[in-house]
Amino acid sequence: MKCLFRLFFVLIILGLLQTGCDIREATIVYDVEFPRADSDEASGGSGGGSGGGSPGGPTTVTNPNGSGAGYTVSKTIANVYEDGSLSDNFTIVLTAAPSANVVMGLANPDTTEVSLSPSSLTFSTVNWSTAQTILLTGVEDGIADGNQATTLTVYVNSSTDGNYSSGVDNSSVTVNSVDSSSVAAISITTTGGNNSVTESSGNTDNFTIALATRPAQNVTVSLTSADTGEVTVSPSSVVFSSVNYSSA
């Protein structure tokens, strides 16, 4: 007598160093639990977007020649969410009137984590005392790589005013990018929506597994059968890398 047994899984272990997983109708969803971008754990305090009064700022850099030439950055720590749901900003203003335009530059070493706009500011003899704003936005990189910190460099790019063109040091702003908190980790595709085998004929069935996002490290997915007396699973584990993660 032929008996039809439905293939199902009791245990699927996602071998991630920093994630947990929930089983939901043949799809594994793992949650990466990171603190809020504006929490103490993430940045040492709240990271509001007002451009002032937050931990890590403001900071002022001046020319040691006594001219008073320099600039003030409203904060040195900022926070963004990778998915773009929370942005941040800071301001820059000169500390003394220049005799010519002063162009302030901003260097971003990792555009895959955070974007900034604009990338430079021009202060004139008229607007030198008016603070200008830099907007910071998180960038979704599709990688479960945890929170990342990007250090932006603020510097005097150019000026014909000698007090600004030399002698004014660079400063930095650290941007904490909070990784996406919930990402679909594993997709399981079954034959016709389900799997079945016939006991007497010894026939087989199959399903495929793939990761939904590129991992930062290798991921090992282990599979076991609820009842090896009825059905077995082979192979017992599958390893995905950052190269083959989307290949079922």
Side-chain angles (χ1 to χ4, degrees):
M1 175 179 179
K2 294 185 177 180
C3 296
L4 189 64
F5 293 90
R6 182 178 300 272
L7 177 63
F8 63 97
F9 313 106
V10 167
L11 178 63
I12 298 181
I13 302 173
L14 176 61
L16 292 172
L17 295 177
Q18 65 215 41
T19 61
C21 60
D22 300 316
I23 300 179
R24 297 178 183 173
E25 297 181 354
T27 298
I28 303 302
V29 176
Y30 72 87
D31 294 327
V32 184
E33 296 297 335
F34 295 114
R36 283 184 52 82
D38 55 357
S39 70
D40 289 343
E41 186 178 350
S43 64
S46 64
S50 64
S54 65
T59 184
T60 299
V61 178
T62 57
N63 195 322
N65 66 4
S67 65
Y71 60 90
T72 296
V73 179
S74 65
K75 65 175 66 171
T76 56
I77 296 177
N79 304 285
V80 297
Y81 275 0
E82 185 179 77
D83 62 8
S85 62
L86 178 68
S87 60
D88 206 340
N89 64 70
F90 64 92
T91 63
I92 300 174
V93 64
L94 300 188
T95 56
S99 61
N101 284 356
V102 176
V103 179
M104 299 296 300
L106 296 103
N108 180 8
D110 193 350
T111 56
T112 66
E113 291 293 340
V114 62
S115 66
L116 58 87
S117 178
S119 59
S120 66
L121 302 171
T122 300
F123 292 93
S124 68
T125 57
V126 176
N127 74 347
W128 66 272
S129 61
T130 301
Q132 298 189 48
T133 302
I134 302 296
L135 177 64
L136 305 170
T137 306
V139 177
E140 178 62 69
D141 57 13
I143 305 174
D145 54 356
N147 293 0
Q148 299 293 318
T150 303
T151 301
L152 310 179
T153 301
V154 180
Y155 61 96
V156 177
N157 185 46
S158 63
S159 181
T160 57
D161 183 331
N163 291 323
Y164 278 97
S165 61
S166 63
V168 180
D169 290 339
N170 300 343
S171 63
S172 62
V173 176
T174 298
V175 183
N176 297 312
S177 178
V178 177
D179 202 15
S180 298
S181 60
S182 182
V183 186
I186 301 177
S187 296
I188 300 176
T189 304
T190 59
T191 305
N194 61 73
N195 288 102
S196 62
V197 293
T198 303
E199 183 180 28
S200 59
S201 65
N203 70 316
T204 62
D205 204 341
N206 62 74
F207 60 92
T208 61
I209 300 175
L211 300 188
T213 57
R214 180 159 55 97
Q217 300 91 22
N218 284 357
V219 174
T220 300
V221 179
S222 300
L223 306 101
T224 61
S225 170
D227 187 349
T228 56
E230 297 291 348
V231 65
T232 59
V233 182
S234 179
S236 60
S237 65
V238 180
V239 178
F240 293 98
S241 69
S242 59
V243 176
N244 73 344
Y245 73 98
S246 61
S247 300

